[in-house]
């Protein structure tokens, strides 16, 4: 079980801070909350190892920059980024910058708790990631050439309309390819499909 100081919620929205704090506490994961990244970064070097939950969009230092700074400082803090619909490209940037996961709002409570437990369990996280990586690569190997082309565009955050224009197909056809990819890989959402692709190294 986590210590009382190893889950940190950094978000400018008080309602989100309260709800996440309550959820974590009821799961036996007490947390500390910060209303902006500046305040958190000021204390970060002295904090116990743990997990940071932050939002992509915040005034001042946003979630992307927070992830980048924590990575640069090599602090033992695994970061989970919360993103709104339409922020997939930013979430991808966050993961490439060092975040261990991202969740698209609204997300189920059990999904967040599972992500936090994985982030906190540093001893098994790398092993789990490697196992997931192999499974995801096998799943993506079954995609058609066109599906992989669409996937490459999805991963960089392009909309169906833009992908359709770039590939010379209709937006409806892009949606069909996306649905096919999710069925073949077992992804339950677009954000999960993107996370799988990133972990697989695509």
């Amino acid at each position: 079980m986590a210590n009382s100081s190893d889950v940190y919620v950094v978000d400018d929205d008080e309602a989100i801070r309260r709800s996440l704090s309550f959820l974590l506490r009821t799961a036996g994961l007490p947390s500390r909350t910060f209303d902006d990244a500046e305040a958190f970064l000021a204390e970060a070097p002295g904090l116990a190892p743990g997990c940071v939950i932050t939002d992509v969009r915040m005034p001042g230092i946003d979630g992307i920059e927070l992830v980048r700074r924590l990575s640069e400082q090599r602090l033992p803090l695994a970061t989970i980024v919360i993103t709104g619909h339409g922020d997939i490209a930013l979430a991808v940037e966050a993961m490439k910058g060092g975040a261990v996961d991202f969740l698209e709002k609204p997300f189920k409570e059990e999904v967040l708790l599972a992500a936090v437990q994985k982030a906190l369990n540093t001893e098994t996280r790398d092993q789990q990631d490697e196992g997931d990586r192999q499974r995801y690569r096998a799943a993506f190997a079954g995609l058609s050439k066109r599906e992989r082309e669409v996937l490459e565009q999805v991963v960089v955050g392009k909309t169906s309309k833009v992908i359709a224009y770039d590939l010379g197909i209709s937006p409806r056809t892009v949606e069909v390819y996306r649905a096919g990819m999710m069925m073949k890989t077992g992804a339950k959402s677009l954000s999960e499909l993107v996370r799988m692709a990133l972990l697989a190294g695509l």
Side-chain angles (χ1 to χ4, degrees):
M1 180 176 293
N3 295 324
S4 61
S5 61
D6 63 6
V7 183
Y8 310 99
V9 178
V10 184
D11 200 302
D12 63 307
D13 188 322
E14 183 179 0
I16 290 179
R17 292 198 306 273
R18 286 183 175 178
S19 63
L20 289 180
S21 180
F22 176 77
L23 172 62
L24 292 163
R25 186 167 60 252
T26 57
L29 297 166
S31 64
R32 285 188 59 187
T33 63
F34 298 81
D35 57 12
D36 60 55
E38 289 87 348
F40 176 73
L41 286 169
E43 291 194 39
L47 296 176
C51 170
V52 180
I53 305 171
T54 189
D55 204 308
V56 164
R57 295 187 182 276
M58 295 187 293
I61 297 176
D62 61 16
I64 306 295
E65 182 61 22
L66 175 58
V67 169
R68 187 176 297 118
R69 294 195 186 189
L70 291 176
S71 296
E72 289 174 352
Q73 295 181 44
R74 299 186 179 279
L75 297 175
L77 296 166
T79 311
I80 297 170
V81 173
I82 300 172
T83 176
H85 180 68
D87 286 343
I88 297 298
L90 293 175
V92 168
E93 185 180 348
M95 285 197 71
K96 289 182 177 179
V100 299
D101 205 348
F102 76 86
L103 302 177
E104 184 179 4
K105 297 180 286 188
F107 46 78
K108 294 182 178 179
E109 293 180 350
E110 58 267 28
V111 171
L112 174 68
L113 292 175
V116 169
Q117 291 286 7
K118 178 182 175 182
L120 289 173
N121 198 342
T122 56
E123 293 181 359
T124 62
R125 191 174 68 225
D126 290 343
Q127 293 178 345
Q128 185 176 343
D129 281 348
E130 184 56 34
D132 289 343
R133 186 175 293 111
Q134 297 303 324
R135 287 195 298 275
Y136 297 161
R137 285 176 177 170
F140 286 122
L143 300 183
S144 68
K145 181 176 182 294
R146 180 59 96 178
E147 285 173 334
R148 290 183 70 90
E149 289 175 344
V150 172
L151 178 62
E152 289 170 359
Q153 303 278 340
V154 169
V155 168
V156 296
K158 292 185 179 180
T159 64
S160 293
K161 183 178 293 186
V162 172
I163 295 172
Y165 178 81
D166 289 346
L167 298 181
I169 56 180
S170 71
R172 174 59 183 160
T173 300
V174 172
E175 296 296 331
V176 169
Y177 281 128
R178 274 178 31 176
M181 286 187 288
M182 291 173 67
M183 182 179 68
K184 289 181 179 180
T185 61
K188 298 179 179 62
S189 65
L190 176 59
S191 58
E192 183 177 357
L193 180 68
V194 171
R195 289 199 307 274
M196 290 171 66
L198 289 172
L199 189 56
L202 300 182

